[in-house]
Amino acid sequence: MTSRLRSTPLPCCALLSRRPVDARPLSHASRPASGPGAAALPWPGWTVCRIWIKLNNSEIFVGSLPRLLQRLEVFVGVTYLMRLKTSLSKEPKHKELVSCVGWTTADELYSCSDDHQIMKWNLLTSETTQVAKLPDIYPIDLHWFPRSVGGKKQAHAENFVLTSSDGKFHLISKMGRVEKSIEAHCGAVLAGRWNYEGTALVTVGEDGQIKIWSKSGMLRSTLVQQGTPVYSVAWSPDSGKVLYTSGKQLIIKPLQPNAKVLQWKAHDGVILKVDWNSVNDLILSAGEDCKYKVWDSYGRLLYSSQPHEYPITSVAWALDGELFAVGSFHTLRLCDKTGWSYALEKPNTGSIFNIAWSIDGTQIAGACGNGHVIFAHVVEQRWEWKNFEITLTKRRTMEVRNVINDAMDLLEFRDRVIKASLNYGHLVVSTSLQCYVFSTKNWNTPLIFDLKEGTVSLILQAERHFLLIDGGGIYIYSYDGRLISSPKFPGMRTDILNAQTVSLSNDTLVIRDKADEKVIYLFEALTGKPLGDGKPLTHKTEIVEIALDQKGITNERKIAFIDKNRDLYITSVKRFGKEQKIIKIGTMVHTLAWNDTSNILCGLQDTRFTVWYYPNTVYVDKDLLPKTLCEKDASEFSKNPQIVRFVGNQVTIRRADGSLIHLNVSPYPAILHEYISNSKWADAVRLCRFVKDQTMWACLAAMAVANQDMTTAEIAYAAIGEIDKVQYINSIKDLPSKESRMAHILLFSGNIQDAETLLLQAGLIYQAIQVNINLYNWNRALELAVKHKTHVDTVLAYRQKFLEDFGKKETSKQFLQYAEGLEVDWDKIKAKIEMEIAKERERAASTPPVRTSVTVQL
């Protein structure tokens, strides 16, 4: 295949599909003196590169960059992906194969080998020391006791469990002292894992048994007994289930007796390793069929790799669930959580039997079959915002590039960079000890403050402030480094929060509860206190992703969320003393994002890319919502694409193969939002007339009704042919008092209860009764008439006429009771109604014009 590609032009689909190109520069010494690599370069400043292009999930060597560009005959931008910078000592420190490794801190690692030695590696000083020698013990697996739970340090955090081939597991201190050795299995103990709270240990063995132990080594239960060895095991995020291997099968077994067991065939060969991430709830598996796979917690396949050359011997999630690593013979691969590969390294390691991520998620250690321990640092991470592109070139160095003028800046840090975020004109960088805040207007003078806990797991930004999450808590800081608030809620576990379960706006913070995934906690960003009455938002099914809109006032703040059924809902975060009105606006939605400058929502809905230009329409005129949408075919994005960001009028989508696709949406709805926020109604109408688009007119109609500008609403509804609504709006204009007009605007939006409340507060009793009569709410109309001792005969008359029109007889006991002895006199009723209208006119004329407002839950 390689020779065929070299002799024929590269297929255009390689360019059009925008698949990632892995470019690896050659050193000067390795550049060829002749041949394609030595040819004159087509553009000054370009270096010779070897190019692999990913076609149909296979990496194919194509040739040098100039040769590739000549074949394509177009300009190609090379995508430099995140990669691993590996390091190996010159000579192996262990004399036999290394079976397991584990990090104590971000810079200290323990390794165990068949040479019976436990070695300690200090990455700051590059020193390696022997901690202990354990004769007659052949170690298989190592796992450190959890350091902290909910920000509190654990008493046993300085110990680790070591399983061995003699059927025992050993509890060993950091100093190398064996605190306890326990006979656990017949045959080798193939794996041992502490749960996330550190309250239980699970071990699996060659004897096919799975046993649960207390942290002191007391046997609690034998969970499983089967006839085949269990090679690997992992705890569920809530520590209530255990995932284990059984030949080619994966099995999820709850700890509770008689609970349903989930089992499925996962591989075509024996499964060797599994891992279950506590943040994203995804499962990794690897087997002798030379594949690694990604599953959700229901056993649904999300990604399957192409077969490798050799069996996959190790897989491991990074703690934050964004990346995972895969190890095989002479192979180390870095992958995105969706499965596609960032980087592939081919170190001289033999098989990599065990992989461990450092606590801060920036480094990997691998236990190698040739006695080496391989270390790898994640570098060349990339952040983009508008015209700025930032790359982590080294562990402590970032490169900033302004693509407009090609200006370059270097940012140097004292410590290793752990997390970064670029948005809203600011770059926020957390290192192991400090947080740096840069303004995109000035890269030379960052604001720096010390961190309480160095391991930041998430950074989220809003326009006015940003959020940091670490092992100790949730913190909201202003961009001048001032701590604004630190929200808390019962049972809070910060180690399992991610960008899908936390959202921040200028005034609100929302967090989905992990213990009950139907619950969303709402906080005031500026105080950290629960929003409103303190009650969380509760949905009927589990919620998988949440997002707050970013613009507008607090009372109109909206939250959009996707539930387990992939339905998209929207609701207000402010309750106004009532139950939230949660409305469904989409089905089969896989991913969503709000725009950064206006309240426009986009999402991938089944096979369509959908933009909700004005999601608030569902609270104003639900029938109008389909006319405010923009839909495009999304089949080109392949399976499971994710929206990365929605900045300005550009949406960035990452496909399942890792490639980025940029979509442009119309800029006019955002301009319309800006006009409406500044009450420039005449400009908004002129814009819609200029664009001549029904979608724009529909958005303007909904915006006008929401802001009670009925003149503009009338123009907009007329433009989209909604004649019945134009007539109703004209009838609203003829109403005598402002209260009546506002009430009918609320009725127009479907807010019946709010309309009635407004009329009653204004003393317009008859109008409130008449509203219920017009809506055929007969019982409520009679209730109001009886309560206020007026217009009982009016209600009974209209009820009688209604029944006569349909040829029905009265059956309601309540109406029969009040109708006894009461004669309906239409002349008298009409006179009373005319008198009520006259009184309303007089009252409106005598009342001075005062600016009033009504609070409506939209």
Side-chain angles (χ1 to χ4, degrees):
M1 184 179 283
T2 304
S3 60
R4 182 177 67 80
L5 278 174
R6 287 181 177 179
S7 60
T8 58
L10 189 74
C12 289
C13 63
L15 171 67
L16 296 177
S17 66
R18 300 173 190 167
R19 295 182 183 273
V21 178
D22 181 13
R24 299 167 186 162
L26 286 162
S27 65
H28 289 281
S30 60
R31 289 180 184 173
S34 61
L41 299 180
W43 297 283
W46 282 63
T47 59
V48 178
C49 294
R50 292 178 294 173
I51 302 296
W52 283 260
I53 287 189
K54 196 173 182 184
L55 291 175
N56 300 323
N57 289 321
S58 299
E59 290 189 343
I60 304 167
F61 177 70
V62 179
S64 67
L65 181 61
R67 176 65 63 95
L68 173 63
L69 294 174
Q70 287 164 11
R71 288 185 183 137
L72 291 175
E73 296 181 349
V74 291
F75 179 79
V76 177
V78 180
T79 304
Y80 289 88
L81 297 174
M82 193 188 309
R83 66 183 182 88
L84 291 172
K85 185 178 180 182
T86 59
S87 61
L88 280 169
S89 56
K90 289 182 180 179
E91 296 294 330
K93 301 296 182 182
H94 288 283
K95 295 171 186 174
E96 300 287 343
L97 71 82
V98 183
S99 55
C100 47
V101 290
W103 296 85
T104 56
T105 67
D107 296 299
E108 187 177 82
L109 179 95
Y110 277 51
S111 63
C112 298
S113 165
D114 279 1
D115 62 6
H116 313 298
Q117 291 187 93
I118 300 176
M119 305 287 283
K120 180 169 72 173
W121 305 70
N122 190 317
L123 272 65
L124 294 177
T125 61
S126 299
E127 291 179 353
T128 308
T129 55
Q130 180 181 304
V131 176
K133 185 152 185 160
L134 305 174
D136 303 325
I137 291 179
Y138 290 90
I140 295 176
D141 193 21
L142 174 157
H143 194 215
W144 282 91
F145 194 85
R147 293 180 68 210
S148 61
V149 175
K152 297 178 181 178
K153 286 205 168 185
Q154 297 272 58
H156 293 73
E158 301 292 297
N159 293 345
F160 63 90
V161 62
L162 184 70
T163 69
S164 59
S165 60
D166 58 1
K168 297 179 182 178
F169 69 85
H170 311 273
L171 301 178
I172 303 176
S173 72
K174 192 175 180 182
M175 304 304 295
R177 185 174 67 252
V178 178
E179 304 288 349
K180 191 179 281 188
S181 294
I182 294 103
E183 289 276 359
H185 293 266
C186 296
V189 184
L190 298 177
R193 300 276 110 180
W194 296 106
N195 68 359
Y196 293 101
E197 294 78 24
T199 55
L201 171 72
V202 60
T203 60
V204 298
E206 279 184 321
D207 56 4
Q209 293 189 346
I210 300 177
K211 296 184 178 182
I212 308 295
W213 310 78
S214 70
K215 61 183 176 183
S216 60
M218 299 290 290
L219 180 63
R220 287 183 180 168
S221 65
T222 300
L223 192 65
V224 173
Q225 295 185 19
Q226 64 178 35
T228 56
V230 182
Y231 287 104
S232 189
V233 68
W235 288 95
S236 66
D238 61 359
S239 298
K241 302 172 186 172
V242 166
L243 164 73
Y244 65 93
T245 69
S246 177
K248 301 174 184 179
Q249 308 275 325
L250 283 179
I251 302 173
I252 296 178
K253 168 82 173 175
L255 298 188
Q256 293 180 345
N258 303 322
K260 184 180 177 183
V261 176
L262 182 62
Q263 179 173 344
W264 70 97
K265 184 186 176 184
H267 287 261
D268 295 324
V270 173
I271 302 170
L272 301 176
K273 282 283 183 178
V274 293
D275 198 9
W276 195 343
N277 188 260
S278 62
V279 177
N280 61 32
D281 201 22
L282 297 181
I283 292 167
L284 278 177
S285 64
E288 287 188 345
D289 58 358
C290 305
K291 293 180 182 179
Y292 64 87
K293 298 184 180 185
V294 183
W295 311 84
D296 69 10
S297 56
Y298 301 100
R300 293 179 294 211
L301 180 66
L302 303 180
Y303 180 86
S304 176
S305 74
Q306 292 296 309
H308 287 60
E309 222 176 327
Y310 301 98
I312 308 295
T313 48
S314 54
V315 287
W317 282 108
L319 289 182
D320 63 4
E322 293 300 313
L323 302 169
F324 65 87
V326 178
S328 182
F329 183 75
H330 288 340
T331 301
L332 182 61
R333 189 183 283 274
L334 177 68
C335 301
D336 183 77
K337 65 181 176 184
T338 54
W340 59 273
S341 177
Y342 275 111
L344 173 66
E345 299 295 330
K346 291 287 189 178
N348 183 23
T349 56
S351 292
I352 299 177
F353 291 109
N354 185 242
I355 292 175
W357 283 84
S358 63
I359 295 160
D360 58 17
T362 63
Q363 301 172 89
I364 301 168
C368 307
N370 60 3
H372 276 288
V373 173
I374 186 170
F375 293 94
H377 308 289
V378 179
V379 294
E380 292 188 15
Q381 287 173 278
R382 183 167 292 217
W383 297 267
E384 293 176 2
W385 182 76
K386 293 190 175 178
N387 54 301
F388 291 100
E389 188 179 75
I390 297 176
T391 307
L392 180 68
T393 54
K394 297 178 183 176
R395 297 171 68 192
R396 297 183 178 87
T397 306
M398 282 181 162
E399 183 180 85
V400 181
R401 179 170 172 248
N402 187 333
V403 297
I404 292 177
N405 55 21
D406 220 26
M408 304 284 284
D409 286 282
L410 276 181
L411 309 179
E412 301 280 349
F413 301 93
R414 190 185 71 183
D415 305 298
R416 180 177 60 255
V417 173
I418 294 174
K419 286 282 179 185
S421 176
L422 176 64
N423 214 339
Y424 296 103
H426 291 87
L427 171 68
V428 181
V429 180
S430 74
T431 67
S432 52
L433 296 173
Q434 294 175 312
C435 181
Y436 295 72
V437 182
F438 296 86
S439 169
T440 55
K441 296 175 183 176
N442 181 10
W443 297 104
N444 297 320
T445 53
L447 186 134
I448 307 171
F449 60 90
D450 293 333
L451 294 170
K452 295 179 180 178
E453 174 113 10
T455 311
V456 172
S457 59
L458 182 65
I459 302 175
L460 288 180
Q461 289 180 256
E463 188 179 9
R464 296 177 193 162
H465 41 242
F466 64 94
L467 174 141
L468 294 180
I469 295 179
D470 62 22
I474 301 169
Y475 310 98
I476 298 176
Y477 289 91
S478 65
Y479 285 111
D480 58 10
R482 180 173 55 87
L483 178 63
I484 296 173
S485 65
S486 180
K488 292 180 174 63
F489 59 91
M492 183 175 75
R493 273 186 61 188
T494 57
D495 58 321
I496 56 175
L497 299 177
N498 63 8
Q500 282 72 48
T501 57
V502 183
S503 187
L504 178 71
S505 71
N506 286 334
D507 45 55
T508 310
L509 170 69
V510 294
I511 303 171
R512 190 206 68 187
D513 188 13
K514 183 66 179 177
D516 184 356
E517 294 182 351
K518 299 176 184 177
V519 172
I520 300 174
Y521 289 102
L522 313 170
F523 298 96
E524 293 178 4
L526 300 181
T527 63
K529 295 178 181 177
L531 203 61
D533 57 8
K535 292 182 181 177
L537 170 66
T538 304
H539 187 49
K540 57 189 176 185
T541 55
E542 290 83 356
I543 296 164
V544 296
E545 186 171 353
I546 60 177
L548 283 168
D549 63 7
Q550 297 298 312
K551 304 302 284 186
I553 60 176
T554 308
N555 284 350
E556 296 177 359
R557 181 73 56 229
K558 299 291 183 297
I559 178 174
F561 60 86
I562 302 171
D563 68 11
K564 190 174 72 172
N565 299 325
R566 291 295 166 188
D567 292 328
L568 174 61
Y569 292 85
I570 189 169
T571 187
S572 173
V573 299
K574 284 275 186 173
R575 227 189 311 240
F576 306 107
K578 305 180 285 192
E579 284 299 311
Q580 273 110 328
K581 206 172 179 182
I582 302 175
I583 301 179
K584 181 160 75 171
I585 60 171
T587 57
M588 294 306 294
V589 180
H590 304 288
T591 176
L592 80 159
W594 287 97
N595 186 259
D596 65 329
T597 56
S598 54
N599 289 339
I600 300 173
L601 180 68
C602 72
L604 287 165
Q605 188 174 10
D606 201 11
T607 58
R608 304 183 309 282
F609 170 71
T610 306
V611 183
W612 290 264
Y613 285 130
Y614 189 56
N616 226 25
T617 306
V618 292
Y619 292 98
V620 177
D621 184 353
K622 192 180 281 190
D623 299 334
L624 201 59
L625 183 66
K627 295 183 179 180
T628 64
L629 304 183
C630 171
E631 293 186 318
K632 297 180 182 178
D633 180 47
S635 56
E636 64 170 304
F637 304 146
S638 71
K639 188 181 177 183
N640 294 329
Q642 292 292 315
I643 297 175
V644 179
R645 54 185 165 268
F646 185 9
V647 177
N649 64 324
Q650 189 179 79
V651 182
T652 304
I653 297 172
R654 191 179 291 281
R655 303 199 323 175
D657 62 4
S659 57
L660 291 175
I661 294 180
H662 301 282
L663 283 181
N664 285 325
V665 300
S666 171
Y668 297 119
I671 299 170
L672 185 64
H673 274 272
E674 187 179 350
Y675 281 153
I676 301 310
S677 64
N678 295 316
S679 299
K680 295 181 178 179
W681 296 100
D683 290 340
V685 172
R686 277 197 295 273
L687 175 66
C688 291
R689 283 175 176 155
F690 169 75
V691 178
K692 297 176 184 175
D693 181 17
Q694 293 285 294
T695 304
M696 291 285 288
W697 282 115
C699 290
L700 180 60
M703 291 171 176
V705 174
N707 289 275
Q708 299 172 4
D709 188 315
M710 302 315 286
T711 303
T712 305
E714 183 182 357
I715 296 169
Y717 275 113
I720 57 176
E722 299 274 359
I723 306 303
D724 55 333
K725 291 172 183 175
V726 173
Q727 288 179 336
Y728 186 76
I729 290 168
N730 278 324
S731 71
I732 292 174
K733 289 180 179 178
D734 296 335
L735 292 171
S737 69
K738 185 172 183 179
E739 289 83 0
S740 281
R741 289 194 292 273
M742 290 176 70
H744 279 79
I745 290 170
L746 292 171
L747 280 174
F748 184 88
S749 303
N751 294 302
I752 300 167
Q753 187 62 48
D754 293 323
E756 183 191 293
T757 303
L758 179 62
L759 291 169
L760 292 174
Q761 286 175 349
L764 302 173
I765 309 301
Y766 160 70
Q767 286 80 351
I769 293 170
Q770 190 63 50
V771 161
N772 283 288
I773 291 172
N774 293 342
L775 294 170
Y776 306 115
N777 290 337
W778 299 109
N779 290 333
R780 178 60 180 164
L782 183 62
E783 182 186 334
L784 287 173
V786 171
K787 180 179 178 182
H788 295 280
K789 299 178 181 177
T790 180
H791 287 284
V792 175
D793 56 341
T794 305
V795 177
L796 293 172
Y798 275 104
R799 170 78 170 186
Q800 184 179 330
K801 185 175 183 298
F802 168 77
L803 292 172
E804 286 174 358
D805 289 345
F806 286 92
K808 302 282 185 181
K809 287 188 176 182
E810 184 62 75
T811 56
S812 171
K813 292 181 181 179
Q814 193 177 12
F815 277 90
L816 289 170
Q817 176 189 342
Y818 285 102
E820 281 181 14
L822 186 68
E823 190 176 330
V824 173
D825 186 346
W826 275 105
D827 292 333
K828 189 177 176 183
I829 289 168
K830 286 176 182 177
K832 283 172 67 177
I833 291 172
E834 285 174 6
M835 189 174 69
E836 291 281 2
I837 294 170
K839 279 169 60 179
E840 187 180 354
R841 281 202 185 96
E842 288 172 16
R843 176 180 167 179
S846 63
T847 305
V850 180
R851 183 178 176 83
T852 60
S853 63
V854 62
T855 301
V856 183
Q857 183 183 359
L858 290 178

